[in-house]
Amino acid sequence: MKYETVIGLEVHVELATDSKIFCSCSAHSYGADPNSHVCPACCGMPGMLPVVNKRVVDFGMKAGLMLDCHINRTTTFDKKSYYYPDLPAAYQTTQWFAPVAVNGLVEITTSKGKKNVRIKQIHMEEDAGKLVHDIREDTTHVDFNRTSVPLIEIVSQPDLSSAEEVEAYLERLKTLLRYARVAECEMAHGTMRCDVNLSVRPEGSDKLGVRTEMKNMNSVEAIKRAIEYETARHIDALENGTEELRQETRRWDDIKGKSYAMRSKETAGDYRYFPDPNVMPVVIDDTWFESIKSSLPEFPEVKRARYAEEYGLSEYDAEQLTKSIALCECFEDAFSVCKSAKDAANWMISEVMSILNARQMTYDMLKLNGKALGELILLVSEGKVGRANGKKILGAMFDDPTIAPAAYAEENGLIVSNDTGLIEKVVAEVVASDPKAVADYKGGKEKALMSLFGRCMKQLKGNCDPQMLRTILIDIVNKQ
């Protein structure tokens, strides 16, 4: 019998706000000392009342609109009751009855073509703390830094059917949320986590099978492996009776490549949802809604088409530049100064991306001043700075975004010199020091001339017009 996999995802995304959802503590604690970003409010101390961070609601609406959702104009917060050591108040403030966004749609593309994935809802909530297990001491510590960091949970309908589709869906979510600048979506940093709900049924059936949930998956590769394993486990159980499938929460062990039962799957009733009396309903009026709607960015596919039509860029160049909103903004700022889309694109794709990769930075970490990049491109294209020195200046601009390229080039002796006397002197010295290369060139070996050219350019530190240098070099060599 043929089977099909049915997958729904619950994606938890940490919002890129400065402070937490209900207090003024910093929301950025990655790499910080344990329990250094906490206060009585986010530690659940008695008598502390929450105050909603408006920026969280802004980002919740923005995410909903990016995913083609309906925005609930009155949205409420609710208590989700459960006990776990990293949840200090013994309940989580979340949204159940009136989430910020519902009924969305995300289009994905896989090897089988395009497909729409329905979004059930997006709700805002506070994150829990983090348990740190110390095997040596046989002790578990609790770090509350992450407690009350604002999250949105994006709940899909069970419209996905393979690991490939899940990967495409997660990548699309990352792209859209990063474009809107509402989230970092960096799974390695824990700012994007995923719960995978999976079941298997006979192909063509409309009845869902027994569902299991794998919690807090934090890498795409682990998610893909877990889906493949869990699908095989379900099919084996159905065909061979190897085990009785239960609705349960499972833990994925990525080292062993297996999932293990953690607990029976809770239902909504187990959490005893009820409206949080300490948090008033949030009413989104027309002015607020329209201000968020007007702030939405151009979608990646729209931007790609515009780059090709408006700037005349190739499909490849447009594809590369639109991988990140940070790349797009830097490119557009550079173009506004240098007025050459092709030059700006070439510098972005070759030089800028090269430095990002060398420094192990994501595209979204780019902080380069785009207008300054445009000035640098002009200096190089006008022959005032050599390409090699232009790359040196670009590296300095990465370290200090306030650098003005022209001033930096002047201060560091990187401006091209047209002092023919100096060039002739250097060339004469280089030629005199290597009679073999001169003889090889005269004997028809063009590479010998390039060797001399490179040595001259090194002596001049790249600060001369290449064509002028070549002309003087050939003239002096021919006189030997």
Side-chain angles (χ1 to χ4, degrees):
M1 181 183 293
K2 289 188 175 181
Y3 293 89
E4 62 182 10
T5 308
V6 180
I7 303 168
L9 297 183
E10 299 168 16
V11 181
H12 299 81
V13 177
E14 190 175 296
L15 297 177
T17 57
D18 292 331
S19 54
K20 295 184 178 182
I21 186 169
F22 296 123
C23 68
S24 60
C25 288
S26 172
H28 305 286
S29 60
Y30 180 76
D33 291 336
N35 298 307
S36 59
H37 289 63
V38 297
C39 71
C42 54
C43 279
M45 295 296 180
M48 301 305 298
L49 296 177
V51 177
V52 177
N53 182 346
K54 179 178 179 293
R55 194 70 169 154
V56 173
V57 184
D58 288 344
F59 283 3
M61 279 194 283
K62 209 167 189 177
L65 291 171
M66 291 297 290
L67 304 186
D68 199 25
C69 292
H70 168 75
I71 303 300
N72 282 326
R73 302 298 283 272
T74 299
T75 183
T76 58
F77 286 91
D78 309 291
K79 286 187 176 184
K80 177 183 180 181
S81 299
Y82 67 95
Y83 176 75
Y84 207 63
D86 62 7
L87 197 67
Y91 65 84
Q92 179 188 34
T93 303
T94 181
Q95 294 191 297
W96 178 257
F97 297 107
V100 68
V102 295
N103 302 331
L105 202 68
V106 172
E107 183 181 79
I108 63 172
T109 303
T110 66
S111 59
K112 294 183 179 179
K114 296 185 181 299
K115 180 177 183 177
N116 287 329
V117 180
R118 294 170 297 160
I119 302 295
K120 179 184 177 183
Q121 68 183 52
I122 299 175
H123 56 264
M124 302 176 289
E125 62 186 17
E126 61 178 345
D127 205 349
K130 183 179 180 181
L131 297 179
V132 182
H133 305 290
D134 191 324
I135 300 175
R136 293 170 302 178
E137 297 181 4
D138 192 25
T139 305
T140 296
H141 304 277
V142 185
D143 180 3
F144 289 120
N145 278 345
R146 205 172 64 184
T147 305
S148 252
V149 166
L151 301 177
I152 51 171
E153 182 173 336
I154 305 168
V155 183
S156 81
Q157 297 286 6
D159 291 343
L160 299 156
S161 57
S162 69
E164 183 189 11
E165 288 184 359
V166 167
E167 181 177 16
Y169 172 74
L170 291 174
E171 289 302 321
R172 182 62 174 168
L173 288 187
K174 284 184 188 179
T175 298
L176 293 176
L177 296 178
R178 285 172 172 172
Y179 258 68
R181 294 195 184 282
V182 302
E184 178 191 41
C185 295
E186 195 62 56
M187 298 188 90
H189 293 172
T191 57
M192 184 177 189
R193 308 188 293 277
C194 186
D195 298 344
V196 180
N197 293 279
L198 182 148
S199 64
V200 167
R201 65 187 177 189
E203 196 173 72
S205 172
D206 58 359
K207 184 179 179 181
L208 294 174
V210 176
R211 173 170 60 96
T212 57
E213 179 183 28
M214 287 176 286
K215 297 285 284 184
N216 288 331
M217 306 291 291
N218 58 9
S219 83
V220 173
E221 287 306 313
I223 290 168
K224 289 163 64 176
R225 292 181 66 204
I227 288 171
E228 289 163 2
Y229 171 86
E230 197 67 3
T231 298
R233 186 180 73 86
H234 278 236
I235 292 174
D236 190 38
L238 293 173
E239 289 198 331
N240 303 315
T242 52
E243 62 179 300
E244 181 183 352
L245 294 176
R246 303 175 183 276
Q247 182 169 313
E248 61 187 3
T249 298
R250 298 181 69 84
R251 176 181 66 85
W252 172 251
D253 187 323
D254 201 42
I255 296 175
K256 295 181 180 179
K258 297 178 68 175
S259 67
Y260 298 90
M262 290 174 62
R263 58 181 181 270
S264 61
K265 181 77 176 96
E266 299 93 342
T267 64
D270 294 324
Y271 290 122
R272 306 188 306 280
Y273 288 100
F274 67 95
D276 190 333
N278 295 323
V279 186
M280 295 296 290
V282 177
V283 179
I284 301 166
D285 61 20
D286 290 344
T287 301
W288 189 2
F289 178 78
E290 290 301 326
S291 71
I292 297 299
K293 190 175 180 181
S294 65
S295 71
L296 295 180
E298 193 174 32
F299 276 61
E301 53 272 22
V302 176
K303 199 176 281 290
R304 279 196 296 272
R306 181 169 66 82
Y307 282 3
E309 181 179 346
E310 186 176 323
Y311 298 138
L313 295 182
S314 67
E315 184 177 332
Y316 173 81
D317 285 354
E319 177 73 30
Q320 294 300 306
L321 290 171
T322 53
K323 286 183 175 180
S324 158
I325 190 64
L327 292 177
C328 293
E329 291 176 350
C330 189
F331 162 74
E332 291 177 16
D333 284 345
F335 169 75
S336 71
V337 174
C338 72
K339 305 301 180 186
S340 171
K342 186 60 180 174
D343 283 348
N346 285 343
W347 274 83
M348 290 294 303
I349 294 169
S350 59
E351 312 305 345
V352 172
M353 289 187 180
S354 176
I355 293 176
L356 287 170
N357 291 333
R359 299 188 181 195
Q360 297 183 323
M361 297 168 64
T362 66
Y363 295 149
D364 290 288
M365 293 168 69
L366 180 65
K367 303 296 183 185
L368 186 65
N369 184 326
K371 292 187 183 297
L373 174 61
E375 294 171 12
L376 177 60
I377 293 170
L378 277 179
L379 289 174
V380 174
S381 63
E382 293 172 355
K384 296 177 181 178
V385 170
R387 181 84 181 195
N389 285 334
K391 294 178 183 179
K392 292 179 183 177
I393 297 171
L394 180 62
M397 290 164 60
F398 263 79
D399 296 327
D400 182 0
T402 65
I403 283 177
Y408 185 87
E410 190 73 45
E411 291 166 6
N412 291 274
L414 302 177
I415 297 293
V416 167
S417 171
N418 292 323
D419 184 345
T420 55
L422 174 62
I423 296 172
E424 288 172 353
K425 180 184 176 184
V426 170
V427 170
E429 290 173 355
V430 170
V431 168
S433 69
D434 197 346
K436 184 179 183 302
V438 172
D440 287 345
Y441 171 66
K442 288 185 173 182
K445 295 181 179 179
E446 184 68 27
K447 286 185 178 179
L449 183 71
M450 295 310 297
S451 174
L452 291 168
F453 179 89
R455 289 172 60 192
C456 292
M457 188 63 81
K458 184 177 181 180
Q459 288 281 350
L460 292 161
K461 298 181 179 179
N463 298 331
C464 70
D465 179 81
Q467 190 56 48
M468 178 185 291
L469 173 60
R470 181 180 173 81
T471 300
I472 292 173
L473 176 61
I474 291 173
D475 182 56
I476 291 178
V477 167
N478 286 335
K479 289 178 181 178
Q480 296 299 307

